[in-house]
Amino acid sequence: MMKLMTKAIEKKFLKNPNDKIEVVYQKKVIVKFFTPWTNWTWFAVEAVKLDNGDWRFYGLVFGHEKEFGYFLLSELESVNGPFGLKIERDLYFDNPTIEEVLNGRY
């Protein structure tokens, strides 16, 4: 099973140079999660480790609509798709800005 959160990704969130950027469209996406059986995709630009060890992400979600919001690592890990499929992390994602994602340049 693929790990959705790794130590390397944690470090990127903890050292995120974009945390001072107020315009969300200019923020770099740190990690992309997706369902291999549907078109749902989560682009996380910020994350906070909670007291219970879970992570709360903020970012852009492509689902029924394109919208910004919060989502938990535990929620992503709990999803069970057909044939035992799980949500995956894009291993080849190169950290575009939210604006680039919205313009299809990722």
Side-chain angles (χ1 to χ4, degrees):
M1 182 167 110
M2 172 184 281
K3 284 187 75 168
L4 296 182
M5 183 62 103
T6 65
K7 292 291 182 191
I9 294 169
E10 285 183 22
K11 286 180 185 177
K12 285 182 181 181
F13 278 118
L14 295 173
K15 295 180 180 179
N16 187 358
N18 295 321
D19 61 352
K20 301 286 188 247
I21 296 175
E22 293 181 18
V23 180
V24 73
Y25 296 102
Q26 296 173 355
K27 290 190 176 220
K28 290 272 191 186
V29 176
I30 302 297
V31 64
K32 172 187 170 188
F33 303 109
F34 67 95
T35 55
W37 66 94
T38 71
N39 62 346
W40 279 75
T41 307
W42 297 260
F43 299 92
V45 295
E46 296 176 0
V48 174
K49 191 166 189 174
L50 304 176
D51 291 339
N52 66 2
D54 202 354
W55 284 84
R56 183 181 63 224
F57 298 102
Y58 177 78
L60 182 62
V61 180
F62 287 12
H64 297 295
E65 304 288 333
K66 292 178 183 175
E67 60 187 347
F68 290 96
Y70 292 94
F71 48 96
L72 295 173
L73 178 62
S74 60
E75 292 172 332
L76 297 177
E77 291 174 335
S78 71
V79 173
N80 292 306
F83 309 108
L85 292 172
K86 303 291 259 174
I87 290 177
E88 296 185 19
R89 178 174 39 86
D90 189 337
L91 299 175
Y92 305 101
F93 195 63
D94 63 357
N95 306 103
T97 64
I98 287 291
E99 183 176 28
E100 290 171 323
V101 169
L102 288 169
N103 290 326
R105 293 179 289 184
Y106 67 93

